[in-house]
Amino acid sequence: MTTTDLDTLSINTIRGLCMDAVQKANSGHPGTPMGIAPVAYTLWQHFLRFDPTDPIWPNRDRFVLSEGHASALLWALLHLTGTRAVDPDYEVLGTQAVTMDDLKTFRQLGSHCPGHPEYRWTSGVEATTGPLGQGVATSVGMAVAGQWLAARYNVGGFTLFDFNVYALAGDGCMMEGVASEAASLAGHLELSNLCWIYDSNRVTIEGHTDITFTEDVAARFISYGWNVTTVADVNDTGQVARALHSFQAEHERPTLMLVHSHIGYGSPVEDSPKAHGEALGVEAVRATKRFLGMPPGEDFYVPEGIYDHFAEGIGQRGKDGRTAWEAMLGAYRAGYPELAAEIEQMQRRTLPDGWAADLPEFKPDAKGLATRDSSGQVLNAVAQKVPWLLGGSADLTPSTKTRLTFDAAGDFQPDDRPGRNLHFGIREHASAAIANGLALTKLRPFWSTFLTFSDYARGAIRLSALMEIPVLHIFTHDSIGLGEDGPTHQPVEHLASLRAMPGLLVFRPADASEVVETWRVVTALRHEPAALVLTRQALPTLDRSELGSAAGVANGGYILAEASGGQPEVILLATGSEVHLALEARDELEAGGIQTRVVSLPCWELFDRQPPEYRERVLPARVKARVAVEQGSTLGWDRYVGDQGAVVGMHTFGASAPLKQLLTKFGFTPERVAEVARERLAGTDPAR
Ligand SMILES: Cc1ncc(C[n+]2csc(CCOP(=O)(O)OP(=O)(O)O)c2C)c(N)n1
Ligand SMILES: [Mg+2]
């Protein structure tokens, strides 16, 4: 490929739009898009299989802007390609995803050009990025999804899935640990459909990378098992194209395309950290435009013929690819109606009919089983009905009980692409980010670790909530209840911190029946992630004939045991293992003539969404003597116990000892809970 005048003009148009958007907003990062624009342009115009009129076509190539602070670059591309907006019901609308007005209102309230790319908010954004490293790690999940979809659905000579995944990353992404975790796994998994483009401008916010980052990135990626190709001159689009061809010709390894670039190219602050983080200034913008051969006085300038040029390149290629694919899907549907139906359900995030028909039922059992065990059984039942449910653990499957054990479940490896058990290795942060990538590709992923290590994955968990994607985060060993492993492994503040995350549904079921109901709720989620918080130790399976139905989980909280006379004086609230403790304390209180209700509250978020009448029925305002009990930080419980209630929780880290000793040491005994309740009853004034 040789660079034509139109190529150069297009690249400079992108640079101009980015400079102007940042200048007008007086906020943003102009230098990064200006440096890497030739690569972004070459990729989009000449390689990316993307139909701007149908940005959600399932076999499109994915482009993830991992250096999310360069969002102006993506906004310019989406604008110039005329990418259409998609509504939440997946109908392609006639409106433009990014209008000129959006560009002119970059970073302002309501603009479709926010400060960083936001999935759902602007069509054509494949993943929310901004926290450096997340985008590249997420792209690994998309590449896994591509391989898995191809293995399952490319049958009978039909190639329904063969998309590539590109991620554009800066020095910051390359420094982040999550990227290393994900790259190591991608190399092992031989994800040859994955291309990371490293925008190596050797500048970050604090200065040149010689103050922080002097490793040999190419050598590192070669050791990961990647194909590494270098572009010495970013402005030579022929070289850029050759590198992209080298990626496309590679069939065994992921590709790192290392591009030497110049932040703020053409501006007075080229190659300087000054090109970062603030507008260039009106005079510098003019000088840069002059250097680039663009009219210095024209802002948001799109030269004659540029829109047509994109329409004839990426537009035509994308449309041809998409329409051919749709025709292929038509023929496929005739030959393989069941597989075609799966693809369609998956795309809409719906479930096969009867998916919940064979969920296990658990009989009352005083000895019971750990909720990690009942959850493993339910997971296997659901997964057999939902073929695109897949996942694994960060090397703890035997402990988290998340292995899919049925015939043909398989293990996803280079030689077993349809395998549904993923092995993430000891890489929690990448596990969660990869799960995000799988969910963005419309598969239903789960991943698991110990609750205490959820902190390691928090950055990616947060993005699952922000993106509103239905990832299942499964956490076991949920409290001091895990015993001897001690305080490093005993979570304390984790429930509170997960509950603090907007949009994440946190479930802590109390027994096997609540586990079943939890899965009934979380499997059907379409736009929300969930965290399942499960025990290592056995819990009794409650006899529901005398207690509230576990179906109450769907309401987030419910009356598990009513006060004997139906008029509670005391309410005990609990989640998970402490529900059993609350029931024992209730027996003691009732024996002493105190009418006591027990409320199980497995999911605060769902309970808070119930109508006021329901919440009032479960937690009547007149009952002031309330005690919550949970083996975790007490933070947040005050909203349910009120200012006259009390919380029996954890105020320190745990300790290494057998569970029984820990329960006494930290005050999780029925006697203590009953005592606190009696104190509350004596001290509360219902009229207050
Ligand atoms: C996890 C995370 N930490 C810090 C930041 C703040 N930040 C935004 S851009 C940037 C510098 C990134 O440098 P680089 O990736 O080289 O991008 P370039 O300077 O080349 O545009 C930093 C530290 C961030 N966005 N994400
Ligand atoms: Mg940089």
Side-chain angles (χ1 to χ4, degrees):
M1 201 186 100
T2 50
T3 308
T4 67
D5 290 350
L6 265 179
D7 289 329
T8 306
L9 193 59
S10 303
I11 293 164
N12 289 336
T13 301
I14 293 169
R15 286 172 168 148
L17 289 175
C18 293
M19 271 189 283
D20 290 341
V22 173
Q23 189 60 44
K24 183 143 191 291
N26 200 20
S27 165
H29 303 255
T32 314
M34 291 160 69
I36 202 65
V39 174
Y41 166 77
T42 305
L43 172 63
W44 277 57
Q45 177 70 344
H46 298 293
F47 289 83
L48 197 72
R49 193 169 52 191
F50 175 81
D51 180 4
T53 66
D54 187 352
I56 58 166
W57 158 48
N59 196 32
R60 69 190 181 282
D61 287 344
R62 269 57 171 186
F63 174 78
V64 177
L65 185 69
S66 196
E67 46 183 5
H69 57 281
S71 62
L73 177 66
L74 186 54
W75 306 144
L77 289 164
L78 292 172
H79 174 71
L80 292 170
T81 54
T83 298
R84 301 279 138 188
V86 183
D87 75 354
D89 292 328
Y90 304 99
E91 288 166 22
V92 179
L93 300 183
T95 56
Q96 249 190 299
V98 173
T99 62
M100 187 53 97
D101 272 351
D102 288 317
L103 278 176
K104 289 180 178 171
T105 52
F106 178 49
R107 291 182 161 237
Q108 308 307 305
L109 199 62
S111 170
H112 282 103
C113 298
H116 292 87
E118 288 182 43
Y119 180 70
R120 289 184 304 107
W121 179 246
T122 310
S123 299
V125 174
E126 300 284 10
T128 295
T129 52
L132 298 170
Q134 288 293 336
V136 279
T138 301
S139 76
V140 173
M142 295 174 172
V144 168
Q147 299 281 357
W148 188 87
L149 288 164
R152 180 167 178 87
Y153 297 108
N154 291 355
V155 293
F158 289 99
T159 305
L160 276 189
F161 293 102
D162 62 352
F163 60 82
N164 288 320
V165 181
Y166 299 91
L168 180 56
D171 299 300
C173 291
M174 289 297 141
M175 289 188 218
E176 289 288 354
V178 67
S180 301
E181 292 177 19
S184 166
L185 184 58
H188 165 77
L189 290 174
E190 300 176 13
L191 301 176
S192 58
N193 54 340
L194 178 66
C195 180
W196 287 6
I197 300 169
Y198 170 26
D199 173 13
S200 170
N201 56 27
R202 298 169 309 280
V203 165
T204 66
I205 288 178
E206 289 188 11
H208 292 271
T209 51
D210 50 14
I211 63 169
T212 48
F213 194 51
T214 46
E215 68 177 40
D216 183 340
V217 174
R220 174 177 141 211
F221 276 73
I222 288 167
S223 82
Y224 286 152
W226 286 52
N227 165 40
V228 176
T229 164
T230 302
V231 173
D233 178 2
V234 61
N235 290 312
D236 179 347
T237 54
Q239 266 189 48
V240 173
R242 272 198 299 282
L244 288 167
H245 279 302
S246 133
F247 157 62
Q248 292 191 338
E250 170 64 49
H251 296 296
E252 281 168 6
R253 300 171 294 175
T255 292
L256 179 76
M257 201 172 131
L258 195 162
V259 183
H260 294 288
S261 64
H262 304 275
I263 193 166
Y265 174 75
S267 77
V269 290
E270 181 176 326
D271 282 333
S272 145
K274 292 205 182 74
H276 209 314
E278 60 182 291
L280 296 172
V282 175
E283 274 320 305
V285 168
R286 282 174 166 264
T288 311
K289 287 180 181 168
R290 229 173 270 125
F291 171 83
L292 296 173
M294 305 292 278
E298 296 245 25
D299 291 343
F300 296 97
Y301 178 55
V302 181
E304 181 98 26
I306 290 298
Y307 291 116
D308 288 344
H309 177 59
F310 278 98
E312 286 154 17
I314 182 172
Q316 194 59 49
R317 192 176 61 253
K319 187 158 180 254
D320 291 347
R322 195 253 308 164
T323 46
W325 189 84
E326 275 166 4
M328 193 197 319
L329 183 64
Y332 186 87
R333 205 179 277 119
Y336 302 93
E338 283 163 13
L339 289 176
E342 284 182 16
I343 293 168
E344 275 150 26
Q345 284 169 338
M346 190 189 314
Q347 294 304 318
R348 288 183 167 69
R349 297 201 188 282
T350 56
L351 296 165
D353 288 344
W355 69 270
D358 297 321
L359 297 184
E361 286 175 30
F362 294 90
K363 296 217 163 36
D365 176 0
K367 186 165 157 282
L369 72 171
T371 50
R372 63 171 173 170
D373 286 309
S374 48
S375 178
Q377 292 182 38
V378 184
L379 163 65
N380 270 277
V382 173
Q384 287 178 72
K385 303 279 186 182
V386 185
W388 55 96
L389 181 75
L390 79 178
S393 169
D395 199 48
L396 286 172
T397 297
S399 297
T400 59
K401 309 287 175 170
T402 46
R403 182 160 180 83
L404 303 180
T405 52
F406 48 88
D407 280 353
D411 294 271
F412 184 86
Q413 288 291 340
D415 59 357
D416 183 6
R417 292 302 197 203
R420 292 169 62 189
N421 285 293
L422 304 180
H423 298 278
F424 294 111
I426 306 142
R427 304 178 177 105
E428 291 80 11
H429 202 176
S431 304
I434 290 169
N436 287 348
L438 291 165
L440 289 165
T441 323
K442 305 288 173 70
L443 303 182
R444 281 309 303 277
F446 63 87
W447 77 280
S448 66
T449 185
F450 293 159
L451 180 59
T452 194
F453 303 137
S454 61
D455 286 340
Y456 272 41
R458 195 170 172 87
I461 298 171
R462 183 171 195 269
L463 283 184
S464 73
L466 183 54
M467 290 191 278
E468 300 183 5
I469 49 175
V471 174
L472 300 174
H473 306 279
I474 301 179
F475 302 123
T476 65
H477 296 56
D478 69 346
S479 69
I480 54 165
L482 65 84
E484 291 83 346
D485 268 338
T488 57
H489 283 50
Q490 291 161 346
V492 172
E493 71 282 21
H494 302 76
L495 271 169
S497 80
L498 290 172
R499 285 174 182 146
M501 204 179 273
L504 176 69
L505 301 184
V506 180
F507 291 83
R508 188 167 184 248
D511 74 346
S513 308
E514 282 197 6
V515 166
V516 174
E517 297 309 314
T518 296
W519 273 98
R520 210 186 293 280
V521 174
V522 300
T523 308
L525 294 173
R526 296 176 65 224
H527 299 296
E528 286 157 305
L532 275 59
V533 176
L534 307 168
T535 65
R536 168 180 181 269
Q537 74 276 24
L539 301 178
T541 305
L542 296 171
D543 182 352
R544 299 279 166 170
S545 62
E546 301 188 348
L547 295 171
S549 160
V553 169
N555 295 327
Y558 63 102
I559 302 170
L560 177 65
E562 184 51 295
S564 53
Q567 295 293 325
E569 298 165 87
V570 167
I571 298 178
L572 304 179
L573 300 94
T575 72
S577 43
E578 287 71 71
V579 166
H580 305 276
L581 180 58
L583 288 171
E584 288 177 60
R586 173 182 178 272
D587 289 346
E588 184 176 324
L589 290 164
E590 288 274 352
I594 299 173
Q595 295 200 29
T596 307
R597 171 184 289 183
V598 172
V599 168
S600 176
L601 205 60
C603 181
W604 290 13
E605 292 82 357
L606 285 185
F607 184 71
D608 292 349
R609 286 181 201 172
Q610 301 309 311
E613 310 80 63
Y614 179 80
R615 282 182 282 132
E616 167 64 20
R617 209 177 332 131
V618 177
L619 297 175
R622 66 164 187 85
V623 184
K624 305 287 187 196
R626 303 181 188 181
V627 180
V629 48
E630 187 170 67
Q631 285 170 0
S633 159
T634 58
L635 192 73
W637 274 108
D638 44 351
R639 111 167 90 140
Y640 300 111
V641 299
D643 58 3
Q644 297 178 56
V647 188
V648 176
M650 294 292 291
H651 301 278
T652 63
F653 292 114
S656 173
L659 174 58
K660 265 214 170 113
Q661 292 175 19
L662 292 173
L663 294 181
T664 313
K665 174 174 164 59
F666 292 104
F668 292 99
T669 59
E671 299 75 36
R672 167 129 188 276
V673 174
E675 185 190 321
V676 173
R678 278 190 296 267
E679 278 170 23
R680 288 296 98 203
L681 192 60
T684 53
D685 172 5
R688 205 173 92 179

